[in-house]
Each structure stands twice: as C-alpha cells, then as structure tokens.
Amino acid sequence: MILSSVVFLPLLFALIVAVWPKTSSIRHLAFGFSIIEFLLSLRLVQLFDSNTAGLQMVEKHLWIERFGISYFLGIDGISLWLVLLTTFLTPIIILASWTSISERIKGFHVSLFVLQTAMLGTFLAFDAIFFYVFWELSLVPMYFMIGIWGGARRIYATVKFFIYTFAGSVLMLIAIIYMMYLTQEATGAMSANLLDFYKLKIPFVGGAFFSLQTLLFFAFALAFAIKVPVFPLHTWLPDAHVEAPTPGSVILAGVMLKMGTYGFMRWVIPLFPEASEYWAWLFMLIGAVGIIYGALVAMVQPDVKKLVAYSSVSHMGYILLGLFAFNSYGMSGGLYQMLNHGISTGALFIMIGMIYERTHSREIAKYGGLAGVLPLFTIFFFIVTLSSIALPLTNGFIGEFLILLGTYQAQPVFAYFAVTGVIFGAVYMLWMFKRMFFGAKGELVADEHHPLFDLNFREVAVMIPLVLMIFWMGIFPNHFLDYSKASIDNLVNNRTNYNLTIVEPGAAEIMHAQGEK
Amino acid sequence: MNTDFINQIGLNHYLILAALLFTMGMAGVLLRRNVIVLLMSIELMLNSVNLTFVAFSKYLGLLDGHIIVFFVMTIAAAEAAVGLALAVTIFKRFREVNIRFFEHLKG
Amino acid sequence: MNHSLLMALVILSPLIGFLINGFRYKRHSANVAGVIATIAIAISFVSSAILVTDLIAMPEESRRIAVKFFEWLVIDRLKIDAGFVVDQISAVMILIITGVGTLIHMYSIGYMHHDKGAAKYFAYLNLFIFNMLLLVLGDSLLVMFVGWEGVGLCSYLLIGFWFTDSEKAAAGMKAFITNRVGDAAFLLGMFLLFVTYGTLNFSELNALAPTVAESSWLGAVTLGTLFLFIGATGKSAQIPLYVWLPDAMAGPTPVSALIHAATMVTAGVYMIVRLNPLFIMAPNTMMVIAIIGAATVVFAATIGMTQWDIKKILAYSTVSQLGYMFLACGVGAFGAAMFHLMTHAFFKALMFLGSGSVIHAMHEEQDVRKMGGLKKYLPITHITFFLGWLAIIGMPPFAGFFSKDEILAYTFNSPMGSPILWAAGVLGATLTAFYMTRLMALTFWGKSRVSKDVHPHESPALMTIPLITLGVLSVIGGWIGVPHVLGEYLGHIPNVWEHWLHPLIKGIPGWQTLDHATEFALMGTSVGLALISAGIAYHFYVKAPDAPKKIAEKIKPIYNLVYNKYFVDEVYFGAIINPLVNLSRNIWYYIDVNFIDKMTYLAGDLARGMGSVIRSSQTGNVQQYAMYIGIGVVVALSFVIMR
Amino acid sequence: MNTVTLSDILLISPMIALFLTSLIPITVKVLRGNREQHSLATLSQALIGIIISLGLLVIFGGAGKTAFNNGLIFDGVTQWLGAVALGSAAVGMIMMYENPATVGKQFSELIFLAMSSAVGMLILVAAVDLLVVFIGLEMMSLPLYLMIAMSHEGKLSKEAALKYFLLGSFASAILLYGVALIFGSTGGTNILAFMGDAAELVQTSRLFLFGITFVILGFCFKVSIAPFHAWTPDVYQGAPTPHSAFMATAVKAVSFAAFLRIIATQALVGSDHLFDILQWLAVITMIVGNTAAILQNNLKRMIAYSSVAHSGYLLIGVITAGVSQNSIFGASSVIFYLLSYAFMTLGAFAIASMMERSENHIINIDDLAGLAKKRPMLSLCMTVFLLSLAGIPPTVGFFGKFYLFNAAVGEGLLWLAIWGVVSSVIGVYYYLRPIVVMYMKEGEAEIAGHSLNATTITAVVMALAIVLMGFVSGPIFSAVEKSLF
C-alpha cells in the first residue's frame, strides 16, 4: 500500500485544502502536508532493496479487465530518486511561494498537490494506460499554474505549453494501443502491462523508416522528446518558464522535464532496443546540438529567467546524450543529471523568484553589483551557479562527467562536441553572474527608494536543503548511485531482452503482516 | 387507340421519372427563393419517392410498397403542416418569405 | 601519528578554515580572519611536514603514503576513491603549497589590513589551499581534476575579489573561462585514457603505460596526453591559453604570489610530471610540449620587456618561467621541471610579495614610471627583491641558476631536445635578465619619480618576515639540486633532488651524459648573456633613461606590436568571442524565434486558415447548405459507383 | 401474419408510457382553461414520465427481442442509447425549466413536444425496419422544429428553426429515396432481412448500393458529418440553449444508433468505395469541426462545431463496427462514447444556459471572463466538461476516445486513429480557450438566477459523473459490450 499512499496522498491533501475553510492557514496546512508526504517517501528509501533490479513494492490490480489495463504501481532504482526529487521539491516550493503567490492561494495549493500526484504516478505506474493517464493529467494543473499565477504573457505561454506537450503525446497513445494489440497477438490476451510490453519482440528492419518498431519508437520518442525538450522541439520551454510563477518554473524544470527523460529510460530504450540502437546517433546528435545550441542561445538572453530556461535545454541535452550512450556511465550519469538539474535549476528559479519579488524585473541589464548589497543571496546563487556549471564536488559534475564519459565510450565524436558545453556552460552562467552581481550597482540595485533586503529566515530555509543536496550529491554520489546501480546495469546489459521481475515484498513486511494477523 | 405503349412502360421508366422528379425537387430546394416554394419542392421529392415505392411494389408484386406510401404521405402531410406553420410564423414576424433573408446565423 | 589522520588534517584544516571564515563573511576584521586562516594553513603545513618526514623515513623503494577515505564514484569499471597519496612528487608540492601558503597568508594579514572583505578573502585563500592540496594529493586524474577545477574557481573568486570594479570581475571570468577551455580538453584526455586503460588512477596508469614509444599522432597515448597538455596550457598559462594570467593581476597581490606564481599555475607541470611514464611514451606530445614551452618562454619575455605595470611584468615573467618548466617536460627532464617549479615558487612568490609591498607603500600605484629610487624608502623590500632578481636572472649560486641551467642543459642534450630549443631558452634567459633588471631599475634604483603626495614607507613586520624567509629560500633553494658537474668540482655535493625524485621519474630513452666541458660552456653562455643583458638594461634605465624611448621610436612598429601584447586578446575577441556572441544572437533570432517558433505558428495558422475557409463557406444561406448536401451526395454516389 | 402480442406491448411500454405522460401537462393546461400550471409541476410530471419510461426500458428491453414483426428490436443498443436519449431529454427539460428563452409561456406545450420528440427517439433507437426508422426520425424531428421556433427569442431561433426544418426535410427525402431503392432491390425494408447479405448485395445490386449510400448519407446529415453538417452550428446557435443540448446529445445518440444498425449489415465489407468514402468523411468531419471551432466567439457555436468534430470521432467507431468481424467492439465504443459525450456536452450547454440572463442574451466566450472568481464551483465543472471534451485523462472523455481509437487500431484503421488524435490536438486549442477566459482573465461574468438551482445541481452531477466514470469506465464499457451480444 505504500506506493498507493505515496501517489494518492497528495490528492487527498488537495481535497482537504480545497474544502479548508480558512484561507489564512492554508499555507501552513499545505506545508505540513508536503512534509508528511516527503517523510512518507523517505520510507520508500528505507524499504527499497538496492541489490535487485526487479520491481519492488508492487501493487497490481486489474482495472479495466477488457483491455488488460491494470492499476499497477511499482518502484525500481530508476524511479526511486525521481520520486524522492518530487516529494523533496514540493515543500520547498510551498515555502518558496509563501509570499510570491498572494492570490487564489487555495487554488494554487490544490493544483500543486494534484500535480504532485500526477508526477509521482508517472514515475511509478507500470501500466501503459495508467501511466498515460498520469502523464496527461500532469498537464492540467501546470496549465493552471502558469495561466493563473504567471506573468504578462502567461496565457500565450500556457496554451503553447499545453498544446505542444499534448500534441507530442497523442501519437504515443496510438502506439500504446498498437502495442496492446501486439500483446494480444503474442499471448492471446490484451494487456497494457509494461512488463508484458517488455516481453514483446517487435520486428525491426534496419533501414526502413516505415517499419513497425521504428514507427512505434518514434511515436514514443516524440512524446518524450517534446517533454524533455530536445533541440528543435524546445521552444515552448522558454516561454513557459519565463511566464510561469516561480513555483511553476521549479516544478516544470525540476520534475516535469524529467518525465520526458524518464520516459526514454523506462519506455523507449527497453521497449525498442533495436530501434533505439539504430537511431541512437540521431538522439545523440540532437542531444549534442541541444547542449551547444541551448548554451549559445542562453548566453545572449537579456532575461535571466529565459537564460536559465535555455540552460535547461542545454542540460537536458546532456541527459539525452547519456541515455543513448547505452552504457552504465551514460545511463547513470543521465539519471543523476536528472536529479541534479531538478535541484540546481529548481534552486536557480527559486532564487530568481526571490530577486524578482524584490525588484519586479528579470532584465539582467538592470542589475549589477548585487554582491555588495545582498551577500547572502549572492553566496547561495553562486553555489547554485557552480552546480549548474558542473564544478567538481557539486552534484552537477558527477552527472556531466559520467555522461560525457559514457558518450565518449560509445561515440567519441559526440563527446568532442558535447564537451564544448562545459565551456559554454561556464560562459553563459558566469557572464550572467558577472553582469548581475559584480560591477557597479545597476539601476534597480542602486534605487534608493527601494532598498533591497537580503534573504530572510524563510528564504534561507528554502535554500539550505537545496544547497545541502548539491554538496551531498557532489561529494557522496555513491549514496545515491548505489540504489540505481542494479536497475541501470540490468537496463544496459539486458537491453535487447529487457524484463523486470516483480520482487516479493521484503521479509520484514511479511513478518509485519503476520504480526497483524 | 393503341394502349400497348402502356404495357411497354417498364420499371425503368418509372424509376427514371421518379429520379427526374427527385432531381427537380432537389433543384427547386437549391434554386428557388420563396420559402413556400421550397416546401413544395421538398414535397415533390417525397412524392417522387412515393412513386418509386409504388413502381417497385408493382413490379415486385408486393403490397408493402403501397402501404409504405401511405405512411410517407402521412408524414409528408405532418411535415407540410409543420413547415407551413413555420412559414406563417416567420412571415408574421419578419414580413419576408425570401429564403435569402435568413442569413443571420453564419460563420 | 596515524597517516589517515594526518592526511585528513593536511587536507581538511584549510577547508575548516574556509568554513569558519566563510560563515563570518560579514566580519571586517582582517586580523582575526587572517589569524584563523593562517593557523589553518600552518596546521596543514606542520602535518605535511610530519607526513614528509615519515615518507623520508621509509625505505626508498616503497616511499609512498596512500590514504583512502571512501569510495567516491564507483560505476562499472570506473572506480574512483577519495584517495590521496604522498610520494616524492606530491611531498614537494604540499610542502611548497602549505609552506609558501602559510607565508603568504601571514603576509596577507598585513596587506589586507584595511580591506572590509578580509574574512571573505581569507576564506577564499583557504579554499584555494584546500583545492590545491586535492589537486596534488589526489591519487587519480579525477580527484586531481576536482582540485584542478577548484583552484580555478578560487582563482576566479580572488581575481574578481574587488568585484565592484567591472574590469576586475571580467578578469576573473576570463580566467575561469579560459581555464575551462583547458579543462574541457583535460576531460577529453581523461576519457580517452579511461577508455583505453580502464582506470584513472595514477599509479595504475603509469604502470599500464606502453613500453614502446608511440609514433602515431592519433594513438591513444599521444592523443590523450595531448589533451591533458591542452588542459595544462590553460591552467599553467601557456600559448595559446595564457591570456588570462596577465589580466589575473587584477586580484590582490598576495593572491598573485600564491596562485598565479607559486602554486596553481604550476599544476599543469605537476600533472605532466605525475604522468611522466605516459608522456614520455608519446614523443609527439613531448615535441609539442617542448615547442610550446620554448615559444612561450620567448614570447612572454618579449612582452615583459615593454610593460609598465609592475605586476604585469611579473605576470609575463611567470608565463615565461612556466614555459621553461614545460620546455623541461618536453625534453624529458621532468626532474628539472619540478626543480624549477620549486625554485620559481620561491623567487616569484618573493617578487610578487615584494611588488605587493611596493604597491602597498605607493598607495595602490602599480605603474613603474611613477616609481624609482624606492631603495631608500623600502630597504627590506629592496634587499629581498634584489635576491629574487638575482635568482630569476640565473646568477649562481642563487636558486634560479641551478634549476634553469639544468633545464637548458637537458634541452641541449636530451634526444628529445635540440640546440634550437636550447637557443630559445637562452634567448629567454637573456630577455629575462633584461626586463627584470629594467624592473629593478625603474622601481628601486635611479631617480625618484614618485609624486609629491605619496610618502612611501616600509611595510610592517607581518609582511617583511615572509619576504625575508622567501628571500633566504631564493638563495639556498637551489642547493639541493646542484648539478653533478658542479658538485664534483665543489667537493662531492650530491644532487639530493635528482636522487629523491628518481623512483618516480622515467629515464629519457637514449640519454647520454654530457661531457663536462660542454656543460660548462653552456652554463657560461647563459650566465654570460644574462649578465650582459642585465648590464645593458642597467645602463638604459639608470644611466641613460632617455635611451629606451629613442630605441622604441626607431623600431616603432615592432615596439607597438610587442607593447600591445601582439594583439592576441584583440584577435581572440575579434575571431572567436564576438563572432560567437553574434552567432548566438543570430541563431536565437533566426532559428529559435523566427524559424522553429514560426513553424509551430505555421501549424496553428494552418488550422486557423482552414477554419476560416470553412467559416467562410458557412454563409448562412440554407440553399448553399443544401448544395453542400447535394454535392456530397453526388460525389459520394459517383465515387461509390466506380467499383 | 403476426398479430400484436402482449410481448410487443410490453416491449414498447417505454414509448407508451412516455407518450401518455407527455399528454399530462398539456391536458392539464386544457382542463385549466388554457392557463399554464406552475412550470415546476409540468417539469416534474415530465420527469416522472421519463423515469417510468427509463425503468420500463431497463426492465423489458435489452434481451434482443423484436417486436411488431421485426419492426423494432430491443437490444443493448436500444437500451443504452435510449437511456442516453431519455436522460438527455430529462436534463434538457431541467434546463428548459430555468432558461429564459423557454420557461414561462407555453411551457406545457414545449414539454409535450420535447417528450413527443423523445418518443420518436425511442422508436428510432429501436427501429430495425427502414420505414420505422424513417417514421422515428420524423417523429423525433418534427417536434424539434417546433420547439426551436417556439423560443421566446424572436429572431435567430426562427431562422434556426426554418433552416433546420428545410435541411432536415431535404435530408429525410434523400434518406427516404434510399429506402425506396433498397426496397426495390430487396423487396423489403427490414434491415434484419438483409443483415447477412448486404456485403454481397452491394456488389451484385447497384440499386442496393445506391440505396444504402443514400440512407447512410441521410444519417450523415442527422449526425452532422461534414459536408452535411452545415446546419449544425446555425441551429445550435439559434436554438434555445436547452434545445441545443437536447439535440446535440439525444438526437445524435439515437441517430448513431440507427446508423449503427444500418452499418451492421456489413455493407461496408462489400463496397470498398463506400468504406473509403466514409473514412474520408470521418477525416473531413474531424478537421472541419475542429478547425472551424477555433475561430468561434459564440460559446454555443463553438460547442456546435465541437459536436461536429465529435461526430467525426464517432464515425470512426461506426466504420470500425461496420467492417469488423467483431463489430460489437466498435459498436460498444460508439455507445460508450455517446454516453460520455452526453454528459460533457449537456454539462457545457448547461453552463451556457445558466449564463443567459434574458432570452436575447448571446453568450460569447469572452463573457465567461472572471467566472472562476464569482462561481468557482461552476467554473470547475465547466473545466471538467471542456477537458473531457478535449479528451484529457482521467476524465471519461479520454476513455471514450481511447476505446474508439482502440477499436479502430484493432481493425487496422490506424490512419483514422492517427487523424483522430491529431485533430484532437487542434481540439485542445479551442477547448482551452473558455478555461483561459474563466480563470485567467478579469471580467464580470454573472450567472442568472439563484446560485443553487436545478441546472447548477445538474451540472455538478454531470461533472462528478465525468470524473467518476473515468475511473470505472472499464466496467461500464464491458457492460455495454456484454449487452450487445
């Protein structure tokens, strides 16, 4: 039951918040709830057996019998940390939005909790349709979040976001349906169970685009690629980020983009191993192009939030590159980078939100000399910047290093290109940092009528966990990688006949169950 | 008087006639402007169908067609009643029976 | 004492110092912060000294203290420990780093006395030492890389320490980004070596190094070492990535002494020496290193001759001296490179600190044209600077003489070297003597050009004690590496240095000892030329101050070219940076905004366009609607009938 | 020949009950000397009638029995879609009770007409004889023409009624002509008679082919398949909102029922061309409906175009049912979709209906601005309806589409499914617009009447149903499927 509780508890919270009579205490209530959820998810780590690549804590009930669709939750080393990331970021987001969201507080927290359920469900569902439901559901609260609490062009941005991502995923639905029929052909009974999908041997013809596996592969890949987003499909992202309110940007960058890369890991690569291998060059290419492209475009952005948004494109390029390297380094690095990006880019957005609350501007040119005025803010921002440019001993380095190493082992030529991202990453971040924090005081900073105040206690409390994670993940990567190692090795080594076994609940749980009887 | 030609009139003749009538009715609906005439054209179409039914009925040696025609005629009458009622209402309201007048709903 | 504990003390005490001062970032007192920081480094130094003593006590063939704290990153074949090694090479380094570091921390207390950001300054400085120790102690390339990037970060922070000055902040950024270019190559080098050898551990790599020299340019060893060398050119300011170092002088002067002269910039040399068994099997790489090194020696020295900023002169001198070290590496004289690294750390740190003392005295004036005759105001500074000067121009028996001469001898004699490289080295030495003498003369000797409102005064003891210590080291530092040829003459003085490093340094294949006569001749040539050159400079800048200007007038184009640093910065900006920024603007504007977005709009417009066509067909005319039905029926029928 | 048996009477008891109760309000009015009774009384009498009828339908229908010499059949289709029609009628009447354009004067007559129309629908939904189909169709349509014309709104409703009438009669004539041709070629009009042979007949008899094409196109008109859809937006816009709701759901449901019965003859299996043309019609309809809806400002018109688009999706299911060896799956998906579609469309129209403050009030999408602040509950309901229409999980709209496309993919009609999902992307664009306006724009949207009236309750129930049905769509679908065997 633990997975169900983890997934659906936020939904219950959303309901409670929705009917809560007192607006003034909603924030406290929501914060408490999110902490409960986080603690509950920590229990997952405790229960998790890192020695097996199998699926754990499985809950499986037939949902729509006619089509073999089931309510199927499970967790393995790939999902685990993404779940934790989601539950970790939520309380932080609530705390970070304490003052910036002042209207329709109730609606905001309801959206947030619904979104949390959707995201957790996406990471934990092991049934195609069940997964798809969560996948699409996640669009709705996000749509409201950007559209209601967003900036000036919020409507444009949110509609663009919604349609882009929705458009990407519809073909996936068709592909899922098709695969359900394939399971029917193979086993006689229709099933949307991912584990049954894994067992399919879908015929693959190398050169032909219009061959079964290739088409299915692209139908899935398109959905995930838009969500990631990879290079030519990324234009919704800067708009969505710029217009979204701070918490929206954090969730979007922190978790929702990961749903795309997670999709590649969970669905695309194991389901279509031959096609993935055959087209790996394409995805590595767009990954590498994305790294450079995102970085270059980020460099010339006048708006700091847009800069970070484009940096996301660049970072997500790394992840794609790592995943399609098909070796332990690349995959682990990709997974790690997902977490890193969630934390560091999330932190960047939070901090941009903090400064925006003070000055109501995100234009880099209007800043300058912040370091002298807001020392504490500067320190935090700098640490996060370092994580973003992948300085060793921060989390970013582990991810980038492993990805590039994996890429080099698989396809050196892409590594040669991608490694320039290491340079460009430093260029755009530090240039931005210099323009905003160093030099003479800019017009907003020097404004005597609006003196800027350094971070208050709440804001420091928001940043501390993030910064701790940045260093913890940078200094002790094995604490995290150990949990995903078995799963990733399984994925790398058994790609062509991938399968997950369902691991029975651990001995401790059985004993517990007996004790109850 | 030679009435043989009547016997030489086959099913096809009736069908073609009916089809012609149907087409004429259709053309009337498409081309005429007066609402009343439009109604009449629709009746014409229905009647051409009746003719088809009867012709088939005769040549298939079945009685069903004839019965159907009664049904159709009843319905056509009801339709005409409704149609005329509408036409009257509209005329009372707008003083207009030109179908081209009614183009407020569009786009 | 337990080695793990000692190692932890060595590495962590600067980190703790950093954390303490970091959390005190708002405090202004330089004394408290400085004392905390200095103690932290001193603890580190003492621990290092104990470690090194232990190391010396070990039998020669097993001299190695390895400590593994935890497994850092373990994935598949990649097994990186947080492991640290003290051996003959790193022992020297940690002593230099913590030793010189302590002195410079001490000096900084005086130097930064009035600065409000002192706590921050000392925090950064401690962090730097921490990272530098990681760099030299790390037992694998990856751990070294951690320190490698970390010192870059500290360098960035310290160069841009006075961040309110946009130019200084820009200099910091330039340093970091230029270094990043090198780091990217370093990464590639690591990948290549890892993919080839399956390990990044130094001892394993060195053990796995091939026994036959690799002749191909694209072989793993050659390519890998080349990439690593590109990384080194970034960190150690060699052509073509040296451009950041002169700008780095924007930082506080003790920083220049510590980071940009004594320690960080030598990291590249250290790395090559660490991996010498690998490098030596890649003769192509060695050739490149030697050529780049020699070119840098001369190139930087010429620029140094024309500069007016006291720190810039020293900076170019540093670039030039680093060139010597690379030259040494390139010809296979790794021991000599390390030797020069050490002596250079002494005398260059000394000179930077001296210049800091001068700048301090002159109230932040750095232009040598506004100095002169400072000898009488700053006696201690002058004396110590004078010792440094003797060392750098290679006067026997000062430290620089031994190390530089060894390099030149190797360059001439090694099968990997050549007389041309030697000539370049000697030319460099000659030029060095010239511009260093020029610096001495303009600053300390001759007539005073100090403006009336400045009253120079000698620095406090906190600053002069490090100067004196380093001065002494600059004199005696070279005596541990007396060349055999001299040692024999002077009564069997052993070459301690060579002996010490021997186990870790691979011999140069095909090496033949030089005969004594030639060696003396070489020595004489370089010393002689340096003396002549120094004499000319003395004449120009003390006796006939107008002469240089006239000569400069006569060779104006060349002079301008050199004076403007060969326009390298401008070329970089014009050829790389500006085009890149423009390109980025254009791809943003044309590809992102105007192509991809427009394409998506196009899809939207297509739908809307179709919608409006359909809307316009919805005229409201019933007969038209009936017509659609009729047409539909007719079309359908005619299609159906075609069977 | 057969005589009328008790079984026949029992089977048609829903229609009889409905017919009889439909007489109550109007009789009362006559007895009261042409004075309206309270409209609530009228409404309750009607609702009671519908409930009785529904109950009878559930009790007696559904076993696949035929009545009146195979003229009517009572199977799963009848039961489910009959229930949809009756339910829609009930909701429509509740809306009529509170809509300014319909309530008040002549309400009894209106209810009588609506219930008569419902009787026609029940006949149509059960009809398996083409003649009965035609009669049901007319019985359903003729009261609707009048209902629309009876609106208190003076101008557009009259125009809408006229248009609907003219085009409807025109299309009926075409359909009837097709019936005549089928009669000529087979000697009968009963669908069951040529159930098995249609595939062969379309190949051997050109007359039959023509006939079946005419009939199919006639139904295409009723269910508003492009290019026969042109009446839909005009009529839905002009008619009083409750009527639009009624038409969009009930008329569509029962017409599709008849369509399914025609298509179940497997005529499509025999004629590739007919098959092709229907596929193209489906594609065209989806595109036309969705693209035209993007540009609408009038809320009702937008929903009307969206209804056209949904007909396109449904046609995919109909085609699937027509070509399939296992046509039940396709048919079930159509029925399930109609069921879910009824909920969301009724809900959306209910919101629009509540927005109308007078009979002449035209509701544009922008008028919804600010609704979320004034009426959060209703905005939430509207959001649910629109998201369900757009097919976003976990609403039932998603599952409806999922089953439809699943059936299509199962029959190898992959390209139709792809067209379906692609055009649903266009759909999302305009379904989002009202949400944007409600939640993200400032405005002074106001709801007429009490905050807690019958329509509101209905809308909330619909919204809840949509969400709940999303979770239990599987059992419902299986029930539908099982009932068709």
Side-chain angles (χ1 to χ4, degrees), chain A residues 128 131-139 161-177 218-227 259, chain D residues 391-393 398 421-422 424-425 428:
Chain A
F131 165 82
Y132 190 82
V133 167
F134 284 120
W135 171 268
E136 294 277 275
L137 176 64
S138 69
L139 296 182
F161 155 75
F162 197 106
I163 294 192
Y164 239 108
T165 33
F166 185 77
S169 47
V170 291
L171 285 181
M172 178 166 76
L173 179 63
I174 298 292
I176 289 174
I177 293 173
F218 274 104
F220 271 89
L222 181 71
F224 298 131
I226 287 181
K227 196 83 163 191
M259 285 163 56
Chain D
I392 310 286
F398 163 73
V421 292
V422 168
S424 75
V425 174
V428 164

Side-chain angles (χ1 to χ4, degrees), chain A residues 344-356:
Chain A
S344 63
T345 308
L348 279 176
F349 278 124
I350 287 175
M351 304 198 57
I352 290 169
M354 288 174 180
I355 193 75
Y356 184 77

